[in-house]
Amino acid sequence: MGLLSFLQKIEPDKKKSPFLHTLYDGFFTFAYAPKTVTKGGVHIRDGMDLKRTMVFVVLAMQLCYVFGTYNIGHQHFDAIGMYPGFLEGFHLKLVHGLIKLLPIFIATHVVGLGIEFWFAAKKGHPIEEGFLVSGALIPLIMPPDIPIWILCVAVAFAVILGKEAFGGTGMNIWNIALLARVFVFFAYPTSISGDEVWVSGFEKVAPGMAVDYGWAHGMFNSLFEWGKMATFDTGAVIHDAFSGATPLALASKGGWSAVTEQFTVSQMWWGTIPGSIGESSKPLVLIGAAILLITRVASWRIMFSMFLGCSAMGLAFNAWGATPFMEVPWFYHFYIGSFFFAMAYMATDPVTATSTNTGKWIYGFMIGAIGLLIRVFNPAYPEGWMLAILFLNTFAPLIDYYVLDANMKRRSAKASNSSAMIMRDADNVNEKNITHA
Amino acid sequence: MLLTALVVIGIILILISVFSISDNLIQIEAQKEGIDTQKTNLSLIPSFKDLFSPSLPSYVDKNKLHRLKKGMNINIAGGAASVVSDANVARYAVRPQLYRGLSPIPKMEVAEGDEVLAGQVLFFDKKNPNVKFVSPVSGEVVEIRRGAKRAISHVIILGDKTQRYMQHTPPSINNASREEIVEYMQASGGWTLINQRPFDIIAETEVIPENIFISTFNTAPLSADMNLIIEGKEEAFQHGLTVLSKLTDGKVILGLDGRGTTEPNTAYTNATGVEKHWFNGKHPAGNVGVQIHHTRPIKGGNSVWTLKPEDVAAIGQLFLSGTYDASKVVAIAGSDVVDPQHYRTYKGASITELTKDCVPEGETLRYISGNVLTGEQVDKEDFLNDKHNLVSVVKEGDNYELFGWLLPIKPRPSASGTFPNFILKNHEFEVDTNTHGEERAFVVTGQYEDVLPMDIYPQHLMKAILTGDIERMEGLGINELSEEDVALCEFTCTSKQPLQEILRDGLDMMREQA
């Protein structure tokens, strides 16, 4: 094949330029499945490999990307008071969204992959696919106007200290995407919390503030003028009645009635609300979750038990009812904030979750319960999934330890039990049937 | 209105409590009598399992049926037809290295050029001189091949056209003591047919096994039909079972095919003096390790024996007629095999001679003695492994495939839901030896548990072995496993880890400790 022989000719030497070789190897194995054959052990292997697993997770997220891009633009124009309808100013919204999203996406991948490639070259092993998913998740959980330099520092922190320091793909304790977000959360809290960060394209989000358009907007303006379509209005200002608060922020201050004053349930469900880039559209996130469940890439146990945990805690709060936030009906907690996104993509990360099936039930349930607990009780920041998931990531090995301990005790109990029975009744051995796994 | 509703609910509640109390009373009585309540259903209400599960033919004993839910069948193209022809094989080899624990240079009792009879002693281990290794066929010893460090790798015999047998005088089974039986078996070559678990070694003379297990069906891909293997040897098989029952204080347990597709040979279903258990499920339901786990799991420092049905028949033959019958039925299968079927030959047959008429030259092919999951890669010049009844022939997959991991051109067998294999339920896959990915660290969890129908956490066991934690390995159940049990886990492994190799390292570590 022409392409194959060309690629094989330009392969950089492994010893003379390890970094280039690693880079080459990464892209080559992306294009061509390697030709290694089995040696020792099984002779045929399953068609599934880690690359394919990661790519399916990334594919499941793509709907969130598409909608997130649109929503960035929609929130921007919502603040100005223009184009309230879904299809109005569609091209402007998409372009604005892309202008905000692409730098975040590219910066995440350049920094993250660059660090991964460097470590792989240094250690002499091929590039491992772990960052494909983390790199796809990080843009979706960031606010649209996050300063790129903060993002780069956060990604570097997450990849170097959260992943490579532990040994690379498969060895990290904490979820890498959440580590990046939690870094921004604690180090630069004003860029990721409050009411001003969820709408993009303004110097300051307050009534009367002007739009902040850059060269990219100008470039597209000339394109739109040539195409006789609506253009970005550089003189637009935020309308007077605007607040950049998300439904979650409103609920934490004033309960469900405060939320319904500004947003309808349908808006919250379909996702045309301010928030992180990818989390807002619940049906699209659920479609992604369904893809992951049908292909058995993600664990249904974690998703289901997380839903149960959150519902149980929500019901408990409804029964208690001490604050307006606690009185928010338990099923509406799924409409605000990022529960479904955390459930589908963050909690189900197999490396950081518990590895035993029993452990997954406990893990998911606790994330659901503790996440909602943090959301309702946290005075500073009304969202709890990131913190709950990182917390349970820390305790996942402990949960597994006790599940395995129970397994080992069961095994030794069977040993002493059966030998005692054989001694007691040699002719009529009444053995207990073992669970048919 | 409310009153009638309350009365109805009250009546229903009373009836439910009457039913459940009487049910429980029956269970308590049954347990006092000693009837196993989980195997026989004594409740008033038929169990859900019996109502909704697919019905099985009448020959399956439902009281001794084990339904295994986990596992995976791999349908590969080129299965062997159920006919047995005679193979035209002249060369046979006995390989000392197949027997774990044997010293690398055993003491030879024959030299190149000697004439031997079938069943004549070829060599023995100096550390264990009573256990003799015998020739499967009569003929001339043409070569004693040595490998690295002068270790003996092959003793090659050119077989006669008509076999001549070494004649022994077997002790009478009814009168002989256990020591006499053991002595006879060790001298006549029958002892080497026994496999001891854990560790899969030759049976140790001083150890009395807790139980003896025989699986009479093989669920591995392309495996030979065990009903054909035992045809013509029914009497010897039954006699072998009787001999074995004298060698253990426990039971001889026979694992029978309860899947309902083919009725097992009457030699299996009519066997006497054994405890019969039926197994229904996907691969590895036919693995003897899985069957042990669900009947009498290996505990602590105990050992059990496992044998293949044809070896039981060979032992029976040694006690019936005093001759060593090493004949076996071998299937040659694979999509590149012309007219795949079963062949009659002897232990240690030459692969070249077995396959010369049915495998065309041309593509790069891999010959495997055994099945594609647990088998041994052999050269064409090599010989069939004594433990195997199958030669699998698959294509070597050493070629690059553009975006092969994302969009494979041909359907591939997979445990993953990302392939549309659910629409190809009965499709027979063409497989090759490509790894379909590179080796990575353990990432995906829960995969191994889905295909191992045992109460074991394989991934954690592997990690315990990799860190050399002996206590943890034992606690997690390494003594219950053999490589063939984790072979399917290795097949489905997304990270392409060498699980069978890791397990073998772990078992070797455990054996050194013992």
Side-chain angles (χ1 to χ4, degrees):
Chain A
M1 270 200 79
L3 179 63
L4 184 59
S5 33
F6 168 72
L7 284 174
Q8 285 174 317
K9 260 193 292 196
I10 64 167
E11 178 174 355
D13 186 69
K14 190 162 186 180
K15 287 199 188 56
K16 278 191 263 176
S17 43
F19 184 76
L20 278 180
H21 178 87
T22 315
L23 195 67
Y24 167 86
D25 187 61
F27 288 108
F28 184 80
T29 47
F30 192 83
Y32 282 98
K35 66 171 187 175
T36 29
V37 289
T38 50
K39 196 167 159 55
V42 286
H43 297 272
I44 57 173
R45 285 270 190 185
D46 197 314
M48 187 66 162
D49 77 330
L50 210 57
K51 232 192 225 74
R52 198 181 162 87
T53 312
M54 301 293 180
V55 159
F56 266 82
V57 182
V58 172
L59 280 176
M61 273 188 254
Q62 293 312 306
L63 284 173
C64 296
Y65 264 101
V66 171
F67 184 82
T69 313
Y70 168 83
N71 199 34
I72 297 175
H74 183 83
Q75 294 308 312
H76 172 83
F77 285 104
D78 197 44
I80 309 175
M82 293 170 76
Y83 307 124
F86 184 75
L87 288 173
E88 292 176 23
F90 200 77
H91 60 284
L92 290 173
K93 293 175 184 173
L94 268 185
V95 165
H96 178 83
L98 274 175
I99 292 174
K100 290 292 163 191
L101 180 65
L102 276 180
I104 297 177
F105 188 82
I106 293 172
T108 310
H109 282 86
V110 166
V111 173
L113 284 178
I115 296 176
E116 288 246 345
F117 283 23
W118 188 79
F119 269 94
K122 203 161 81 88
K123 290 191 205 169
H125 66 59
I127 295 169
E128 306 208 344
E129 296 87 357
F131 195 73
L132 281 180
V133 174
S134 307
L137 279 175
I138 291 177
L140 293 180
I141 57 177
M142 291 293 174
D145 242 352
I146 187 159
I148 299 294
W149 70 271
I150 292 181
L151 178 72
C152 292
V153 177
V155 173
F157 169 81
V159 177
I160 297 178
L161 286 182
K163 190 150 127 178
E164 294 301 333
F166 287 93
T169 301
M171 311 287 188
N172 48 300
I173 303 182
W174 294 288
N175 190 309
I176 300 301
L178 286 179
L179 268 186
R181 188 169 208 260
V182 87
F183 178 83
V184 182
F185 183 70
F186 283 115
Y188 304 100
T190 46
S191 51
I192 205 167
S193 51
D195 288 345
E196 302 191 5
V197 299
W198 307 109
V199 180
S200 65
F202 304 98
E203 267 191 43
K204 187 167 156 53
V205 176
M209 284 290 143
V211 295
D212 181 23
Y213 288 147
W215 58 269
H217 289 93
M219 191 178 79
F220 275 98
N221 260 352
S222 20
L223 201 64
F224 291 145
E225 275 161 16
W226 176 80
K228 294 201 183 39
M229 299 188 276
T231 59
F232 292 108
D233 181 2
T234 42
V237 293
I238 300 181
H239 71 261
D240 284 333
F242 182 74
S243 95
T246 62
L248 193 54
L250 292 172
S252 67
K253 292 193 202 100
W256 189 245
S257 46
V259 181
T260 42
E261 274 171 26
Q262 272 206 289
F263 300 101
T264 64
V265 174
S266 164
Q267 260 183 311
M268 286 185 266
W269 176 252
W270 292 103
T272 47
I273 53 174
S276 300
I277 297 176
E279 68 178 22
S280 51
S281 178
K282 319 297 182 290
L284 297 182
V285 172
L286 287 174
I287 290 176
I291 293 176
L292 293 180
L293 285 174
I294 292 174
T295 55
R296 297 194 301 271
V297 169
S299 164
W300 63 271
R301 292 178 178 88
I302 296 179
M303 290 202 207
F304 187 55
S305 59
M306 189 167 159
F307 184 80
L308 284 180
C310 186
S311 309
M313 189 58 92
L315 283 166
F317 278 137
N318 283 165
W320 187 356
T323 68
F325 205 175
M326 282 199 223
E327 283 174 1
V328 171
W330 62 276
F331 46 91
Y332 280 136
H333 273 294
F334 301 122
Y335 283 64
I336 57 181
S338 56
F339 174 81
F340 285 124
F341 192 86
M343 176 191 86
Y345 301 110
M346 300 300 189
T348 51
D349 175 17
V351 176
T352 53
T354 49
S355 28
T356 52
N357 284 340
T358 319
K360 284 176 182 166
W361 285 103
I362 303 173
Y363 174 81
F365 190 85
M366 299 219 65
I367 292 179
I370 294 179
L372 194 64
L373 190 74
I374 297 176
R375 174 190 276 190
V376 170
F377 280 132
N378 189 341
Y381 186 77
E383 189 53 298
W385 309 112
M386 167 181 76
L387 298 166
I389 293 176
L390 287 174
F391 183 70
L392 262 296
N393 282 163
T394 320
F395 283 94
L398 188 68
I399 298 174
D400 274 338
Y401 176 84
Y402 281 109
V403 173
L404 291 173
D405 200 48
N407 177 284
M408 292 201 266
K409 285 207 177 74
R410 205 164 45 233
R411 184 162 288 112
S412 58
K414 261 193 285 189
S416 48
N417 199 13
S418 293
S419 50
M421 275 206 274
I422 285 176
M423 288 196 301
R424 180 178 59 206
D425 194 351
D427 295 324
N428 197 3
V429 180
N430 187 9
E431 83 221 345
K432 272 195 95 59
N433 202 6
I434 303 112
T435 321
H436 289 314
Chain B
M1 196 58 224
L2 185 61
L3 194 57
T4 33
L6 282 176
V7 167
V8 167
I9 291 174
I11 292 177
I12 293 175
L13 280 176
I14 291 173
L15 282 174
I16 289 175
S17 51
V18 164
F19 264 126
S20 76
I21 291 176
S22 44
D23 211 46
N24 282 331
L25 285 174
I26 295 180
Q27 307 278 6
I28 294 173
E29 269 303 312
Q31 278 185 348
K32 267 205 255 167
E33 295 285 319
I35 304 170
D36 190 340
T37 53
Q38 275 168 312
K39 292 227 169 63
T40 53
N41 191 356
L42 297 160
S43 99
L44 292 165
I45 308 151
S47 90
F48 277 129
K49 270 198 278 188
D50 288 340
L51 275 180
F52 291 111
S53 44
S55 60
L56 288 170
S58 51
Y59 59 76
V60 176
D61 180 359
K62 299 221 178 12
N63 293 332
K64 295 274 192 180
L65 176 65
H66 303 256
R67 281 186 195 272
L68 303 179
K69 290 182 228 124
K70 296 190 189 171
M72 176 185 166
N73 282 331
I74 306 175
N75 287 335
I76 301 183
S82 294
V83 289
V84 188
S85 326
D86 281 312
N88 212 345
V89 178
R91 287 159 61 93
Y92 301 85
V94 181
R95 290 193 277 159
Q97 291 164 338
L98 291 180
Y99 298 92
R100 196 164 282 120
L102 197 57
S103 45
I105 310 180
K107 178 95 175 62
M108 295 297 303
E109 287 221 359
V110 295
E112 281 185 19
D114 285 356
E115 286 282 329
V116 290
L117 298 171
Q120 184 169 333
V121 178
L122 291 178
F123 56 87
F124 57 88
D125 188 359
K126 277 174 275 203
K127 288 184 293 190
N128 201 354
N130 292 334
V131 177
K132 310 286 187 197
F133 291 79
V134 302
S135 169
V137 290
S138 64
E140 182 194 338
V141 177
V142 288
E143 192 187 343
I144 298 181
R145 198 180 290 172
R146 293 189 184 252
K149 295 190 199 168
R150 308 267 310 145
I152 298 178
S153 67
H154 297 74
V155 178
I156 304 177
I157 302 160
L158 189 65
D160 291 339
K161 286 263 180 330
T162 37
Q163 295 296 308
R164 293 167 295 129
Y165 294 90
M166 181 96 170
Q167 186 62 52
H168 303 280
T169 17
S172 156
I173 260 302
N174 298 321
N175 309 330
S177 66
R178 188 179 188 273
E179 289 71 36
E180 285 173 13
I181 299 177
V182 168
E183 207 183 297
Y184 174 65
M185 283 178 66
Q186 292 186 340
S188 58
W191 192 254
T192 58
L193 301 171
I194 305 173
N195 183 47
Q196 182 170 302
R197 276 200 186 215
F199 315 134
D200 291 318
I201 50 178
I202 307 172
E204 292 168 307
T205 319
E206 333 72 59
V207 168
I208 300 184
E210 204 184 343
N211 293 296
I212 301 182
F213 298 86
I214 300 155
S215 171
T216 62
F217 69 110
N218 194 336
T219 47
L222 296 177
S223 55
D225 186 353
M226 289 229 196
N227 294 330
L228 288 178
I229 287 173
I230 208 71
E231 254 172 36
K233 300 186 182 180
E234 290 87 348
E235 195 196 340
F237 180 73
Q238 178 58 56
H239 202 75
L241 292 176
T242 319
V243 171
L244 288 173
S245 58
K246 301 257 186 278
L247 291 174
T248 175
D249 292 337
K251 299 261 199 258
V252 176
I253 295 175
L254 215 59
L256 291 152
D257 185 355
R259 291 173 294 171
T261 39
T262 30
E263 183 167 357
N265 194 303
T266 44
Y268 302 140
T269 48
N270 294 345
T272 55
V274 297
E275 196 176 295
K276 292 191 271 249
H277 287 265
W278 296 79
F279 291 88
N280 178 308
K282 302 184 199 156
H283 185 58
N287 278 14
V288 70
V290 170
Q291 296 178 357
I292 295 175
H293 182 88
H294 287 280
T295 49
R296 317 262 166 133
I298 303 176
K299 306 163 220 34
N302 289 342
S303 302
V304 299
W305 287 355
T306 66
L307 286 102
K308 289 151 43 105
E310 69 189 17
D311 293 336
V312 174
I315 291 176
Q317 194 61 38
L318 274 173
F319 280 83
L320 275 179
S321 63
T323 54
Y324 180 59
D325 177 18
S327 66
K328 65 196 292 177
V329 170
V330 176
I332 301 182
S335 50
D336 289 275
V337 177
V338 170
D339 200 15
Q341 57 179 281
H342 296 73
Y343 294 91
R344 195 167 292 112
T345 178
Y346 294 87
K347 278 195 198 309
S350 149
I351 302 276
T352 314
E353 293 176 33
L354 271 176
T355 57
K356 67 173 179 288
D357 292 327
C358 51
V359 181
E361 293 292 328
E363 282 192 71
T364 2
L365 296 170
R366 181 181 292 199
Y367 292 82
I368 301 166
S369 167
N371 62 60
V372 289
L373 295 175
T374 61
E376 179 196 358
Q377 181 174 359
V378 287
D379 238 70
K380 267 187 92 162
E381 285 66 48
D382 218 324
F383 298 82
L384 189 66
N385 188 317
D386 287 350
K387 294 189 173 53
H388 297 152
N389 290 74
L390 172 64
V391 177
S392 312
V393 183
V394 293
K395 289 190 187 48
E396 288 280 15
D398 56 351
N399 44 280
Y400 291 106
E401 207 183 323
L402 184 60
F403 287 113
W405 51 276
L406 188 60
L407 306 159
I409 300 174
K410 281 190 310 195
R412 296 197 171 127
S414 172
S416 161
T418 60
F419 290 94
N421 286 354
F422 57 91
I423 50 179
L424 301 165
K425 267 211 165 70
N426 292 321
H427 177 90
E428 292 190 339
F429 294 98
E430 291 223 357
V431 294
D432 64 32
T433 57
N434 193 300
T435 54
H436 301 307
E438 300 171 293
E439 190 176 324
R440 295 280 184 262
F442 289 114
V443 169
V444 182
T445 56
Q447 242 184 354
Y448 303 158
E449 286 84 344
D450 282 341
V451 290
L452 183 63
M454 294 165 84
D455 184 19
I456 290 180
Y457 289 101
Q459 194 173 68
H460 297 269
L461 177 61
M462 293 299 148
K463 289 186 180 176
I465 298 174
L466 287 170
T467 51
D469 190 340
I470 305 257
E471 265 182 47
R472 198 173 170 77
M473 278 157 46
E474 191 170 352
L476 287 173
I478 192 176
N479 288 338
E480 299 191 59
L481 288 176
S482 174
E483 283 111 315
E484 58 176 14
D485 303 319
V486 292
L488 201 52
C489 303
E490 191 180 347
F491 170 77
T492 60
C493 179
T494 304
S495 302
K496 314 296 173 190
Q497 288 272 338
L499 297 187
Q500 289 181 74
E501 192 186 309
I502 298 173
L503 182 67
R504 181 42 53 189
D505 287 341
L507 287 171
D508 287 342
M509 266 191 267
M510 295 295 300
R511 194 150 63 99
E512 276 166 41
Q513 293 291 111

